[in-house]
Amino acid sequence: MKVLEVKGIQKNFGSLRVLKGIDFDLERGEALAIIGSSGSGKTTLLRCLNFLESPDQGTISVNGKTIFDASERLSLKSDEIRHNRLYFGLVFQNFNLFPQYTTLQNVTLAPQLLAKEREDYKGNRAAIFKELELNARDILAQMGLTDKLDFYPHQLSGGQQQRVAIARALALSPDILCFDEPTSALDPELTGEVLKVISSLAEKRTTMIIVTHEMQFAREVSDRVIFMDDGVIVEQGAPEQVFGNPREERTRQFLARYSG
């Protein structure tokens, strides 16, 4: 079942054309890796999916429902944009944790704010917050962070902070979990612990889009790979095909340069 359909996405920044017509879809339970050189449009694509940027053309559909149509973007209200963002969870390069909150508070904050919109919130606040906390504790346990619940971000290693960021995204139960170069801000010795967590999510058939420069990881964890260059999708396919027998010369050049 297609959980995501992206059609004709274009994005310009002034005279600079960053995305030049992106088309792809994503099946539920699929892990999609997006690779390509810096400046190819990978991060901009993720930002468009998460409503951090507004595409100039194209449509985005989730579970068969069109949640963005560039021809109608001016009619989207702020609460509609906020609601549409909930389909996606985004894990940033640089963690973006709130420094004044503990690990547990960072993970429970957004669910608690959303809970205030529930019709039964006033009469059940304590029970709702308790349920959200238990869920957060469970997710943090899956991240191997049970002993770090009361730690502040500055007391955590980079790998631990990124695992908290992953837990925070999962706490909102998104349809699609997005990673934007999740290990780029980490020291090499901390990269493995984050990649291990993402691999475990793939094994659980979590629907994911992973922008990464870790080629071997992309090959091992993904069900499908997209190679982007200069704002377009040059090639996409199974990892064994894209990495082992790329059809396009530009893909071969990129992989040869990346492997040295």
Side-chain angles (χ1 to χ4, degrees), residues 104 107-108 111 128-142 167 170-173:
L104 184 60
V107 176
T108 56
I128 291 172
F129 276 28
K130 183 64 175 179
E131 180 182 351
L132 294 175
E133 180 180 323
L134 290 173
N135 182 58
R137 287 176 178 270
D138 180 61
I139 295 172
L140 286 165
Q142 296 173 41
L170 287 171
L172 291 173
S173 301

Side-chain angles (χ1 to χ4, degrees), residues 50-181:
N50 285 270
F51 290 84
L52 298 175
E53 300 287 353
S54 181
D56 298 300
Q57 293 188 38
T59 62
I60 301 170
S61 300
V62 176
N63 298 323
K65 175 186 176 183
T66 299
I67 63 170
F68 178 84
D69 186 334
S71 65
E72 301 174 357
R73 64 180 181 274
L74 294 179
S75 64
L76 278 179
K77 300 177 181 178
S78 59
D79 59 333
E80 292 175 315
I81 292 174
R82 185 163 55 87
H83 174 76
N84 288 340
R85 281 180 178 151
L86 295 176
Y87 291 110
F88 301 88
L90 179 58
V91 179
F92 297 90
Q93 296 180 22
N94 295 311
F95 324 137
N96 286 10
L97 300 177
F98 294 107
Q100 72 272 33
Y101 294 138
T102 65
T103 292
L104 184 60
Q105 289 170 335
N106 263 284
V107 176
T108 56
L109 178 62
Q112 288 175 350
L113 291 174
L114 284 174
K116 293 180 180 180
E117 300 178 5
R118 290 173 47 169
E119 293 183 1
D120 62 341
Y121 173 75
K122 289 185 177 180
N124 297 280
R125 178 184 181 278
I128 291 172
F129 276 28
K130 183 64 175 179
E131 180 182 351
L132 294 175
E133 180 180 323
L134 290 173
N135 182 58
R137 287 176 178 270
D138 180 61
I139 295 172
L140 286 165
Q142 296 173 41
M143 299 294 114
L145 293 168
T146 299
D147 60 339
K148 305 295 183 183
L149 299 183
D150 296 323
F151 282 49
Y152 290 89
H154 75 273
Q155 297 174 304
L156 303 173
S157 70
Q160 291 167 342
Q161 289 185 61
Q162 191 62 297
R163 283 185 279 155
V164 175
I166 295 171
R168 179 177 61 182
L170 287 171
L172 291 173
S173 301
D175 290 81
I176 303 156
L177 186 58
C178 302
F179 294 90
D180 183 15
E181 299 281 13

Side-chain angles (χ1 to χ4, degrees), residues 205-224:
R205 307 308 298 172
T206 303
T207 308
M208 297 186 291
I209 300 175
I210 309 164
V211 168
T212 183
H213 61 275
E214 301 281 350
M215 296 298 113
Q216 187 60 35
F217 173 71
R219 184 170 190 163
E220 293 174 354
V221 78
S222 64
D223 299 297
R224 188 157 48 94

